Amino acid sequence: MDFDDTPEEAEFRLEVRSWLAEQASAYSLKSFDDLSFEQQLSLGREFQARKAERGYAKITWTQELGGMGGTPMQAVIYEQEEEKYNFPTVFFAISLGMPIPVMRRFATEAQQQRYLKPALRGEEVWCQLFSEPSAGSDLGGIRLKAVRDGDDWVLNGQKIWTSYAHISDFGIIVTRTDPTVAKHKGMTFFFVDMKSPGIEVRQIKQAAGGGEFCEVFFSDVRVPDGNRLGEINAGWSVAIATLMEERFAVTDAAGGGAQLEDTMHFLRRELGEGDGGLDDPCVREKIADWYIAESGINNFYARLLTGLSQGQLPGPEAALSKIVIARKLQAQSADIMDFCGPAGAIYPDFQVSRANDYRIAWLEAAGYRIAGGTDEILKNTIAERVLGLPGDIRVDKDIPFEELK
Amino acid sequence: MNFDFSDDQKSLQDETHRFLRDRCDLSVARIVLDDQKQAYSESVWQEMVELGWAGIAIPEQYGGIGLGYLELCVMAEEMGRFLAPVPFSSTLYLFCEALLNGASETLKQEILPPVATGKLVGTMAFAEGFGFPGRDRIGVRFEGGKLYGDKWPVADAMIADAAVVLAVNEDNKPCLCFLDLDQEPVHRRQLESVDPSRGQGGLEFFGAEAESLTAFEGGSDNSGWQLFQRVLNSAAVLFAFEQIGGADACLAAATEFARERYAFGRPVGSFQAIKHKLADVYVGNQLARSNAYYGAWALATGAEELPLAASVARVSAIQAYEYAASENVQVHGGMGFTWEADCHLYLRRSRSLALLIGSSGLWKKQVTRELERKFV
């Protein structure tokens, strides 16, 4: 039992490390706060182009496709090393995570030639147009209509929670093409040019102040039939393939919130000795609770990586990480604020980086528990796909979509 | 990354599982539960001894099989899954750990071979009534080679042939002492507990002959207390494996019941109230398992993180097992609260294991203390 790399893994890690160290001075910044959004994005594109040149943008893809023909474990090693820095990669995470693998799987040869590499290089960004105001966890409830008109389809409706739609060049989209059949049977999948006439993108201001989620309005947007991915009315299976896309994200057990070591130093510094500070039994018990959860996630992750290193891809059990991390982030951030007393609610100007700020993390955590699968949906996933409990009874399963409430 | 047990260790686990399934299913724990006079299942223990299990982790030079901690961990998990009512934990995780780490060569030569052949059952006596012993709160005295005072509760006190006892010596320093329990100045009494399938008792010493274990860390003034802590840390990891075995058994039983039991025209497991509960149990079990592996790694590699890893493994295992055991009763409904259903056996065991070597509050203190040492 050990936590060591195999010799091949160690060699790859060294190679990645030295390459990243070379890039760091130009692209990894302590904070991006001094740059405008456009400047951040353009820095991100430059770094992404360099990544793609090395095949690091999609490590498991072949060289012809723009990858490096690597293993899933190498992809993880790259991410682990990249995560030690602060590179502006966030704009491409969705783009390369789901839309581009789906294009690789369902688009024609010519389309792949045209679209894959520019996305890997960060020249073009893709978004995923799935959720709608009335269809979130229940994706099968989407209403955005696509009606056939000659060689085109005409799209009308609205999408929401589309990350980075405002900077996207293209998007994959699931639409309603036949409302007279049951909901999962009348959907069709396309990709769209986000610059098409009739598309309007509005950023949504989130509760924590961020604006990377968008709503996207479609008014008589024409999409050529050639942009269809999969068969007509078979969009549900393409959507499922998208959601199942084997992504094995590197886990940060702190969930982007305060690191435990920093927090302990902070408590010692700001609250001093004795009651109320790091010596207070109430405080100490909370610290133990956080660490036990954090250690549980880190060690769970080490077990998954052991499987991955031996060629087994993680199954649905991987869903538990997000449930634990998001809840812990919320609780731990609130605890730290509690320890600070009334000042816990204030944004004073002391030495914490934005990434390590418990006040921001506390608010963000509320969204993190929803985004990318709510706690409740993930628990269903575990119950049904890991434990084998029966699926929920679907009362809308055999009813034509247009008759549903 | 190789954070898993080896194929050999996994086949030892399978072998243990098959034996326990065939020879020691829950009906055996139930016999001990129902008959207060039986402190353990003598026949199952004999069979285990014949398989060499009593000496599984005792080095070959002392007559054992000489396997390591990782082998002990996988076996512990199965012991926990089947609630085996045998003195495996008292003898191997506590008694042998103390001797292997702290006894003189002569004493090891004398005592370990009969342990390996099942002629000697051992335990460790540390608690003295309510609370948990602190360095300055030990009442039993070791004076002139003799022990005086009362220890309770002690696991397997009624069946142990020998014990390691936490005491204070003439210099008021904590020490662990070895003694033969079959001597006149040792009085035993049986104690009733919430978990009768694992017997507990009291041991009172009226000048019983004993020998101090002084070989740990060069036998400094503090070494008695350090040896005790070391044994607790080892035991915390090994008990954590028993606990995750039990927790897994609870989840399996609850899941199976939820799939088969119908209410309102559908399996109760199709209701989200049940699904989410069982998903939460699964999450707790997986975190506990992952932390137990961390403890196993620290124990097996002699890592300096052992006190941290052991405390994390223990708290996680306590939480997971108690949650799994109580929700197993809950999912089974009224039937789950009958004597006939097995749910209460796990509920009882989860509680007794949560207490035996110190409660989660005590071990959380260790987590934070170790983190402070590491970070601050």
Side-chain angles (χ1 to χ4, degrees), chain A residues 4 284 289 295 380 384, chain B residues 1 275-276 291 364 368 372:
Chain A
D4 304 335
R284 297 180 76 81
D289 288 338
S295 163
N380 285 351
E384 293 171 19
Chain B
M1 185 72 70
K275 278 185 185 172
H276 289 186
N291 281 329
K364 280 186 190 178
T368 309
E372 216 168 10

Side-chain angles (χ1 to χ4, degrees), chain A residues 1-6 9 73 80 260-261 264-265 268 278-279 283-285 287-289 291-303 305-306 309-310 317 320 323-324 375-380 382-384 386-393, chain B residues 1-5 70 241 251 254-256 258-259 265-267 269-272 274-280 282-283 285-291 293-294 296-297 300-301 308 311-312 315-316 319 361 363-365 367-369 371-372 374-376:
Chain A
M1 212 181 234
D2 61 61
F3 294 94
D4 304 335
D5 286 332
T6 64
E9 289 165 2
M73 191 63 197
Q80 286 175 330
L260 191 52
E261 181 173 357
M264 288 178 77
H265 283 293
R268 180 59 89 201
L278 197 52
D279 301 319
V283 174
R284 297 180 76 81
E285 178 164 17
I287 288 173
D289 288 338
Y291 183 72
I292 289 159
E294 187 172 313
S295 163
I297 287 298
N298 284 334
N299 291 311
F300 175 72
Y301 187 64
R303 289 171 55 215
L305 284 190
T306 300
S309 172
Q310 293 159 2
E317 70 276 8
L320 79 80
I323 300 178
V324 177
D375 286 4
E376 291 74 16
I377 289 291
L378 295 178
K379 285 184 190 179
N380 285 351
I382 288 174
E384 293 171 19
V386 180
L387 300 178
L389 289 169
D392 238 310
I393 291 173
Chain B
M1 185 72 70
N2 182 24
F3 192 53
D4 196 2
F5 291 96
L70 295 179
F241 277 87
L251 177 59
T255 303
E256 191 186 337
R259 270 198 294 254
R266 54 199 273 199
S270 69
F271 289 103
Q272 290 195 348
I274 300 297
K275 278 185 185 172
H276 289 186
K277 182 194 292 299
L278 293 178
D280 285 338
Y282 174 81
V283 169
N285 286 4
Q286 287 298 320
L287 295 181
R289 176 174 293 280
S290 306
N291 281 329
Y293 280 32
Y294 178 44
W297 166 81
T301 57
L308 179 61
S311 55
V312 165
V315 178
S316 236
Q319 289 171 343
W363 286 85
K364 280 186 190 178
K365 287 182 190 166
V367 173
T368 309
R369 204 161 58 230
L371 287 173
E372 216 168 10
K374 188 170 162 187
F375 291 149
V376 183

Side-chain angles (χ1 to χ4, degrees), chain B residues 29-357:
Chain B
R30 213 166 248 291
I31 292 168
V32 178
L33 172 76
D34 284 331
D35 179 0
Q36 294 291 318
K37 288 192 205 75
Q38 284 210 44
Y40 75 123
S41 170
E42 201 175 342
S43 59
V44 170
W45 178 239
Q46 267 321 310
E47 287 188 63
M48 289 180 179
V49 164
E50 279 156 30
L51 290 168
W53 291 3
I56 197 92
I58 293 176
E60 285 171 282
Q61 69 205 89
Y62 306 118
I65 293 181
L67 296 177
Y69 285 119
L70 295 179
E71 285 77 12
L72 208 44
C73 287
V74 297
M75 293 181 80
E77 183 178 340
E78 298 310 312
M79 296 287 172
R81 193 184 311 279
F82 290 96
L83 301 173
V86 291
F88 189 78
S89 54
S90 317
T91 305
L92 277 72
Y93 318 163
L94 296 169
F95 181 75
C96 283
E97 265 302 292
L99 289 180
L100 283 167
N101 282 291
S104 65
E105 190 56 34
T106 324
L107 191 61
K108 283 196 261 191
Q109 299 270 6
E110 184 192 341
I111 302 305
L112 293 173
V115 173
T117 52
K119 293 194 185 74
L120 195 154
V121 166
T123 188
M124 184 163 82
F126 43 94
E128 297 179 6
F130 298 104
F132 198 80
R135 198 191 299 244
D136 308 318
R137 290 196 298 136
I138 303 167
V140 168
R141 304 198 63 82
F142 179 61
E143 285 166 357
K146 292 181 172 169
L147 279 173
Y148 302 88
D150 192 18
K151 287 284 183 189
W152 69 274
V154 179
D156 293 312
M158 301 311 287
I159 59 169
D161 302 292
V164 166
V165 178
L166 177 67
V168 280
N169 62 21
E170 284 136 335
D171 302 324
N172 262 327
K173 300 289 181 202
C175 60
L176 286 185
C177 301
F178 164 82
L179 90 164
D180 184 348
L181 290 174
D182 290 324
Q183 52 176 308
E184 214 247 318
V186 176
H187 291 190
R188 308 185 199 224
R189 62 189 186 280
Q190 189 173 343
L191 297 173
E192 280 181 38
S193 84
V194 296
D195 182 23
S197 63
R198 291 289 291 112
Q200 301 206 52
L203 294 175
E204 197 166 3
F205 311 113
F206 300 91
E209 304 244 359
E211 176 180 344
S212 178
L213 305 182
T214 55
F216 189 66
E217 308 250 305
S220 69
D221 270 4
N222 198 24
S223 68
W225 184 251
Q226 285 171 343
L227 173 61
F228 178 53
Q229 297 304 311
R230 164 65 213 226
V231 176
L232 288 181
N233 285 329
S234 304
V237 175
L238 296 164
F239 276 119
F241 277 87
E242 285 206 4
Q243 288 164 309
I244 61 174
D248 260 8
C250 292
L251 177 59
T255 303
E256 191 186 337
F257 184 83
R259 270 198 294 254
E260 287 165 9
R261 166 79 182 186
Y262 275 68
F264 305 99
R266 54 199 273 199
V268 295
S270 69
F271 289 103
Q272 290 195 348
I274 300 297
K275 278 185 185 172
H276 289 186
K277 182 194 292 299
L278 293 178
D280 285 338
V281 171
Y282 174 81
V283 169
N285 286 4
Q286 287 298 320
L287 295 181
R289 176 174 293 280
S290 306
N291 281 329
Y293 280 32
Y294 178 44
W297 166 81
L299 192 54
T301 57
E304 62 179 31
E305 288 98 327
L306 178 63
L308 179 61
S311 55
V312 165
R314 173 148 180 86
V315 178
S316 236
I318 289 174
Q319 289 171 343
Y321 195 6
E322 295 218 272
Y323 184 55
S326 71
E327 297 314 307
N328 185 33
V329 176
Q330 186 72 15
V331 168
H332 279 78
M335 195 60 207
F337 195 61
T338 60
W339 192 264
E340 182 192 342
D342 290 329
C343 304
H344 71 115
L345 277 72
Y346 287 107
L347 187 68
R348 290 165 184 277
R349 181 61 57 86
S350 72
R351 196 84 274 268
S352 74
L353 288 182
L355 298 170
L356 187 62
I357 55 166

Side-chain angles (χ1 to χ4, degrees), chain A residues 223-245:
Chain A
V223 176
D225 187 54
N227 284 18
R228 178 161 46 78
L229 300 174
E231 298 301 311
I232 295 172
N233 291 332
W236 179 248
S237 57
V238 185
I240 290 297
T242 311
L243 296 174
M244 295 284 197
E245 178 54 40

